[in-house]
Amino acid sequence: MVGEDGGAVSETGISEAEINLKIALKLQKLLEQTGITVILTRSTDEAIYDIDSSSTIRKKKKSEENWKQIDGQLIQISSGIYGVWGVNKHFEIFYRTGVTKINKGGNSWIKVDGLLKHISSGESGVWGVNMNDEIFYRKGISDTLPQGTSWYKIDGQLKQICSCEYGVYGVNCNDQIWFRAGISKSCPDGNRWCSIDGGLKCISVGPFGAWGINCKNEILKVDENDILHLLKEVGNKHNNLGNETVI
């Protein structure tokens, strides 16, 4: 496990810890292709954030078991490749400025336009849902403007959403599972929703597969290697239908 110090840094700004992580992830894929089970102690170099019962924000230090309190109060938070985002009890949206590999706790919170009950910061961008289960994608995120410029309303309705390297997933008020198809660099918000078999009240997808909880609070999982196969089946099913599925 890497401490707060990321090790040596190259002239291009890449840290030793970042290079080691990329090598480890590459080796994981190669070994798993041969049937070997690989367990990593970490799969990202992001800090871990938590919200306690009083909406106090805390960051877990990599080398310690205790939590460092962060200023502010939130009811939901998401840490990912596009930074740390959260919403408070009034559904106001906040972005944490100054979060870097050296300054992992960041500097301050800035209020972002809009109102959301749930937000997800992942490899497929920053997505959120509001009190009416309407879905939004954050546009205009860049190195110079990491909080983005505006929210773009997406078709459909979801009560919870997850942005990750495998795309964007969510569940609606009937616990139906949905995947956002058509996401690409030229179309980062995708073009349609495709249904996935099963029923979940919340879902989280990442390097260790897709995890979810159903209405009985039972925990369900799809392995990482099965996600792409599952998405291929979903794509074939909806292509055969010949139309778009909208939630």
Side-chain angles (χ1 to χ4, degrees):
M1 182 173 289
V2 179
E4 294 294 323
D5 182 4
V9 179
S10 70
E11 293 181 355
T12 59
I14 301 176
S15 69
E16 180 182 353
E18 187 176 357
I19 294 173
N20 290 338
L21 178 59
K22 288 182 178 179
I23 293 173
L25 292 173
K26 181 65 175 179
L27 286 174
Q28 179 192 24
K29 289 186 177 180
L30 292 174
L31 290 171
E32 288 181 341
Q33 287 175 0
T34 66
I36 298 174
T37 300
V38 179
I39 300 176
L40 299 179
T41 57
R42 66 186 181 96
S43 60
T44 70
D45 200 30
E46 301 294 333
I48 303 173
Y49 289 81
D50 167 65
I51 299 173
D52 65 18
S53 58
S54 62
S55 299
T56 298
I57 308 159
R58 301 177 298 171
K59 181 179 79 73
K60 188 172 184 180
K61 298 180 180 179
K62 291 181 178 179
S63 58
E64 299 177 8
E65 290 299 322
N66 62 319
W67 293 82
K68 175 184 176 183
Q69 184 172 338
I70 303 295
D71 59 288
Q73 289 189 323
L74 298 172
I75 61 170
Q76 191 261 327
I77 197 166
S78 176
S79 170
I81 191 171
Y82 288 102
V84 181
W85 296 69
V87 297
N88 67 11
K89 63 182 180 180
H90 302 295
F91 306 115
E92 296 170 322
I93 308 162
F94 292 87
Y95 170 79
R96 186 71 176 176
T97 66
V99 177
T100 65
K101 293 184 182 299
I102 303 301
N103 184 29
K104 298 184 185 299
N107 297 328
S108 63
W109 295 102
I110 60 171
K111 186 179 176 182
V112 177
D113 59 290
L115 297 171
L116 295 174
K117 68 176 180 180
H118 184 90
I119 196 166
S120 179
S121 167
E123 288 86 343
S124 296
V126 177
W127 294 66
V129 295
N130 67 11
M131 296 76 68
N132 298 319
D133 290 352
E134 295 172 321
I135 308 162
F136 294 87
Y137 167 76
R138 189 67 178 174
K139 299 180 66 176
I141 293 178
S142 65
D143 292 338
T144 56
L145 198 65
Q147 70 270 32
T149 57
S150 61
W151 293 103
Y152 177 71
K153 190 174 184 295
I154 305 294
D155 59 288
Q157 288 189 313
L158 294 172
K159 64 179 180 180
Q160 186 254 331
I161 199 164
C162 174
S163 168
C164 67
E165 62 180 304
Y166 297 106
V168 176
Y169 300 77
V171 293
N172 66 12
C173 62
N174 296 316
D175 291 349
Q176 295 171 316
I177 310 166
W178 298 88
F179 166 74
R180 187 67 176 176
I183 291 178
S184 64
K185 289 184 178 180
S186 60
C187 185
D189 55 321
N191 54 32
R192 69 188 188 279
W193 292 103
C194 296
S195 62
I196 296 177
D197 292 339
L200 297 173
K201 64 179 182 180
C202 67
I203 188 169
S204 180
V205 185
F208 298 113
W211 295 69
I213 301 172
N214 65 15
C215 61
K216 299 178 181 179
N217 292 331
E218 296 171 331
I219 305 167
L220 304 173
K221 180 181 183 297
V222 174
D223 290 336
E224 175 194 2
N225 294 335
D226 294 330
I227 292 178
L228 295 179
H229 178 70
L230 175 64
L231 294 181
K232 184 178 180 180
E233 289 184 343
V234 170
N236 290 337
K237 179 178 70 174
H238 287 276
N239 287 337
N240 290 336
L241 288 175
N243 54 23
E244 296 181 357
T245 301
V246 179
I247 52 180

